[in-house]
Amino acid sequence: MTTARITIDRDFTIAEVPRRLFGSFVEHMGRCVYTGIYEPGHPQADSRGFRRDVLELVRELGPTVVRYPGGNFVSGYLWEDGVGPVEKRPRRLDGAWHTVETNAFGLHEFVEWAREADVEIMEAVNLGTRGVEEARALVEYANHPSGTYWSDLRRQNGAADPFDIKLWCLGNELDGPWQIGGKTAQEYGRLAQETAKAMRFVDPSIELVAVGSSNRQMPTFGTWEHTVLSHAYDEVDYVSMHAYYQEHDGDVASFLAEAVDMDAFIDGVVATIDAVKAAGKHTKQVNISFDEWNVWYQSGLDTDDQPHVITAAGQWREHPRLIEDTYNVTDAVVVGTFLNSLLRHGDRVKIANQAQLVNVIAPIRSEEGGPAWRQSIFWPFARVAQLARGRVLRLAIDSSHVSTKRYGDVDAIDAAATWDEENGTIALFLANRSLEEAGDLTVDLRGLGASSVRSAEVLTVPEDGDRKSANVADDQDRVGLVPLRDVDIVDGAVRATLPPLSWSVVVLDVARA
């Protein structure tokens, strides 16, 4: 059995829990929009074509902010195509995902959907094939009340009131050679600076995210952020991060430890931001928007739902199946550790978006004309979004180790915790990375007294399953949360036994000692 001791002191905290940390992402890619959130004619569709079964699951998942409309898609997108009468909207070829975009769903539809889902909008502008004027015009269309060309066009298109979108992305992954209109750091830094200025001339209240490196393995990682921020530091509020992880060649131990890489990636970007701040003698603080993250099996699954296979076939189709990964128990535990990493960096990571919301590497799956269901990764996200309130606690952890090829020895027990003083609760988010051994956990509280265990749940391997057990259309509840039985308060300390390969959440009733 592995062992771990966690010490919590009420006076050692990291930051207020950033509510935008629990974001998601809707891109015009595959079946995320069409037959995902939007499917006119579906038995569960409302009069606007929004799938009510999917909306119900989205509300249960609990995202606070949703990034839209891309992603790679946005770098070739003409936002004007998605407004006005649907029957007059043009059909376009989308080079990012080699599909046909019908534009039946656009900005007005997404704003209405976001209101139904009760999420904040994070709108991305095209800085691949377009630039300053198109971005400035979009802000005017979305946020200016009336009396100008673009605002009056919005009103003519049926929205008398402004959309009041406050959070904007200045493009997407423009350091990547795969990106339509990719740029050097110098080119992008100047474009981002001037676009930000023009957008803020229209609406000074907006917040802006500059494009950071597409991943930590990019050859320009670090120098890209430094160059971009050297131009645009004073004009932006955040710099973006993107990261995807998967299990390689059966190396499950390293896969379960990928949050170690996420921690290091965040620390590296923070260091670069602060170096630019110091060198430029800036007074404001730029923070991080980790606006794409998830498990994504980018290799080893060369089926007909992979973009490069479809592109090679030369087919142009409307919303084909793209990267519809089926997530298992192992993936859910890894996603739980990613959420822990984001919480541990809540002083600097203020926005995060799991990519994507429905069907495309998503916690929610749906079938055209058929059901919608929760994938295994739904549960850690839903519970953290629901229960992480108040302040993120700074934990002292002494844990047994597991050995990995990629990261050496890592803690067997990964943890994060939040303290909601107003409601008198501590939420513990716990992952046991050991494949074989249960974890014997002790949590010592200083300055706080635990009176009872309010709730305790665990996601682990089903009794009749294995670590690759997953939820599918005809078996939608195979993997989920069940009660964590072996947890109690003994002599003021919390004691729990965490099953092998598991993610758990424990909520304690506490009061100041």
Side-chain angles (χ1 to χ4, degrees), residues 13-276:
T13 63
I14 294 171
E16 291 289 331
V17 176
R19 292 305 302 164
R20 285 171 166 173
L21 211 61
F22 314 116
S24 191
F25 181 26
V26 167
E27 181 173 2
H28 283 248
M29 174 185 180
R31 299 191 313 117
C32 185
V33 173
Y34 304 106
T35 74
I37 65 173
Y38 176 78
E39 188 181 339
H42 188 278
Q44 290 290 319
D46 66 16
S47 61
R48 297 161 295 184
F50 302 159
R51 283 190 58 161
R52 290 171 295 181
D53 55 344
V54 172
L55 264 171
E56 183 177 335
L57 290 177
V58 170
R59 295 187 189 107
E60 182 184 352
L61 182 69
T64 53
V65 58
V66 176
R67 184 169 174 247
Y68 175 84
N72 292 354
F73 172 80
V74 79
S75 292
Y77 181 50
L78 281 65
W79 67 265
E80 304 94 323
D81 287 350
V83 303
V86 172
E87 63 274 12
K88 294 183 178 180
R89 297 180 190 176
R91 292 167 58 89
R92 303 278 191 189
L93 295 181
D94 167 33
W97 301 113
H98 204 78
T99 58
V100 175
E101 174 55 52
T102 68
N103 285 303
F105 188 98
L107 179 59
H108 286 252
E109 288 80 14
F110 183 71
V111 169
E112 287 192 45
W113 180 88
R115 289 170 178 164
E116 287 291 320
D118 192 26
V119 297
E120 181 183 6
I121 294 171
M122 184 180 192
E123 183 77 10
V125 301
N126 176 359
L127 292 187
T129 61
R130 310 189 89 186
V132 176
E133 174 54 26
E134 292 84 1
R136 188 210 63 77
L138 178 53
V139 176
E140 182 181 322
Y141 184 93
N143 289 2
H144 195 69
S146 63
T148 67
Y149 174 80
W150 290 112
S151 61
D152 286 346
L153 183 60
R154 181 199 69 242
R155 294 169 63 87
Q156 179 182 319
N157 288 334
D161 296 325
F163 298 148
D164 198 29
I165 300 171
K166 295 302 182 188
L167 192 54
W168 297 79
C169 299
L170 297 168
N172 177 78
E173 291 186 358
L174 288 157
D175 63 329
W178 59 85
Q179 200 71 198
I180 298 173
K183 292 169 174 58
T184 67
Q186 289 283 0
E187 291 169 338
Y188 173 72
R190 285 289 296 123
L191 178 59
Q193 180 183 30
E194 294 305 321
T195 304
K197 285 162 55 180
M199 293 169 73
R200 280 222 172 94
F201 287 155
V202 176
D203 186 349
S205 70
I206 61 176
E207 300 171 67
L208 298 170
V209 182
V211 168
S213 293
S214 298
N215 56 70
R216 195 181 178 208
Q217 286 69 47
M218 294 297 292
T220 54
F221 169 61
T223 58
W224 172 275
E225 285 81 358
H226 193 282
T227 300
V228 168
L229 289 175
S230 294
H231 290 292
Y233 192 99
D234 284 331
E235 284 75 30
V236 302
D237 304 286
Y238 311 92
V239 64
S240 73
M241 294 178 61
H242 293 178
Y244 295 99
Y245 299 94
Q246 72 168 89
E247 182 179 331
H248 291 279
D249 302 320
D251 184 6
V252 62
S254 294
F255 179 47
L256 287 163
E258 294 286 18
V260 172
D261 182 85
M262 180 178 275
D263 287 337
F265 189 10
I266 295 170
D267 291 342
V269 175
V270 167
T272 304
I273 293 170
D274 290 348
V276 176

